[in-house]
Amino acid sequence: MIELTNVSKIYGNTVKAVDNLNLVIPDGEIFGFLGPNGAGKTTTIKLIAGILNANSGTIRINGLDIEKDALSAKMQLGYVPDTPNVFLRLKGIEYLNFMADMYEVSTEDRRERIESLAKRFSMDDVLNDRIQSYSHGMRQKIIIMGVLVHNPPVWILDEPMTGLDPRSSFLLKEMMREHADSGNTVFFSTHVLDVAEKLCDRVAIINKGQLLFCGSMEEMQDHFKKNTSLENMFLELTESEE
C-alpha cells in the first residue's frame, strides 16, 4: 500500500511541483498516474521512492514513513526511473549482483531470480556485456530486472515501457498484472493512454501539481456523463486547467 497525505513539494520557494496531494493505493491494484509534461508526475514518484523529501505531508509505504523509517520503507519498494542510463561501465550481471547485494538477497535466491528474469526478458546472452553496449531497450530491461531482483511488494515505475520492444512491453504488463493479482501494489506513470485504459484498475490525473481526478474508468465516465475514451477525458480535464 502507498499512502500520501497532504504532500507538497516546492522548488525555489515559488514553484509548487506537488500541491497538497492525497492518494491511497491499496494492495492488489495497478494504479496509473497520468498528466502532461511538467505536471508533477516524476516529482511525485521521486517523493514516493524517497529520492526527494517533501516540504510537507507524509508518505507511507506499507505503513512505513519514507522519511522517518527510510531504509525499511525502501526495502518494500522497487523503483524504475524514467531514464535507464546508470552504471554503464558495469556488466549486466555485475549490476544485478550489485542490486542484490544492496537488498541483501541471498546467493541462492538471486541466482534463481536472475536466471528467471533474464530468460523472461531474453537477456541471457548479454549479461556478461557492459551496459554501455546495450541498446536503450536493453538498458531499460536490465534496470527493471535489477529492481525486481529483491522481489519488492511495491513497484514504482516511471514510464517503464519507454524503449521496450512490443514483446518486452507485453511481458512487463503481464508481470504487472501478476504482481497486483498476488496482492501487491503497482504504481506507474505513462504517456500512453491506451495502456493505462486497458491495464489500470484506477487512474489519477495530475496537472500543475494538483490532483484533478482519481478513480476507475467507470467513475471517470460517470463524472463526464458520457461513454468516451480515456484520451478524450484526459484532454478535457487538462485543457480546462490551462
Side-chain angles (χ1 to χ4, degrees), residues 27-120:
D27 298 335
E29 185 170 274
I30 298 179
F31 189 89
F33 200 49
L34 316 175
N37 292 332
K41 299 190 303 299
T42 293
T43 296
T44 300
I45 284 175
K46 288 182 176 179
L47 290 168
I48 295 171
I51 296 169
L52 298 174
N53 290 329
N55 293 97
S56 60
T58 58
I59 299 171
R60 290 184 174 86
I61 309 295
N62 286 342
L64 299 167
D65 191 300
I66 195 65
E67 290 190 28
K68 295 179 181 177
D69 202 357
L71 286 179
S72 295
K74 289 177 182 180
M75 290 294 287
Q76 296 289 310
L77 62 87
Y79 163 62
V80 174
D82 57 345
T83 54
N85 300 322
V86 293
F87 302 107
L88 297 181
R89 294 190 178 184
L90 292 181
K91 296 178 181 179
I93 191 64
E94 291 173 337
Y95 172 71
L96 295 177
N97 277 310
F98 166 73
M99 293 297 289
D101 287 341
M102 291 289 291
Y103 288 97
E104 301 176 352
V105 182
S106 70
T107 301
E108 183 178 349
D109 285 345
R110 76 175 63 183
R111 184 184 300 116
E112 180 182 329
R113 290 173 190 167
I114 289 172
E115 286 179 1
S116 174
L117 288 166
K119 185 175 182 180
R120 293 190 79 170

Side-chain angles (χ1 to χ4, degrees), residues 113-168:
R113 290 173 190 167
I114 289 172
E115 286 179 1
S116 174
L117 288 166
K119 185 175 182 180
R120 293 190 79 170
F121 281 107
S122 301
M123 293 285 284
D124 319 56
D125 297 335
V126 296
L127 289 186
N128 286 312
D129 298 340
R130 295 191 186 277
I131 296 174
Q132 64 188 5
S133 71
Y134 289 2
S135 68
H136 182 91
M138 291 164 66
R139 292 180 187 183
Q140 186 74 353
K141 287 193 278 188
I142 202 73
I143 293 295
I144 293 169
M145 290 166 63
V147 163
L148 302 185
V149 76
H150 73 288
N151 196 27
V154 176
W155 293 4
I156 302 170
L157 316 174
D158 194 357
E159 300 285 348
M161 280 82 168
T162 301
L164 292 183
D165 57 79
R167 181 187 177 279
S168 297

Side-chain angles (χ1 to χ4, degrees), residues 5-18:
T5 307
N6 301 325
V7 172
S8 292
K9 178 64 179 178
I10 302 172
Y11 291 119
N13 297 319
T14 56
V15 179
K16 271 198 172 183
V18 178

Side-chain angles (χ1 to χ4, degrees), residues 12 16 23 48 57 70 79 82 89 105 163 190 193 210 223 228 232:
K16 271 198 172 183
L23 280 175
I48 295 171
Y79 163 62
D82 57 345
R89 294 190 178 184
V105 182
T190 181
L193 298 181
Q210 295 186 332
H223 174 79
T228 187
N232 289 335

Side-chain angles (χ1 to χ4, degrees), residues 206-225:
I206 187 174
N207 196 22
K208 299 179 181 178
Q210 295 186 332
L211 194 66
L212 303 183
F213 176 84
C214 180
S216 66
M217 279 298 302
E218 291 79 10
E219 289 169 335
M220 186 180 283
Q221 286 169 341
D222 287 342
H223 174 79
F224 280 87
K225 300 294 188 297

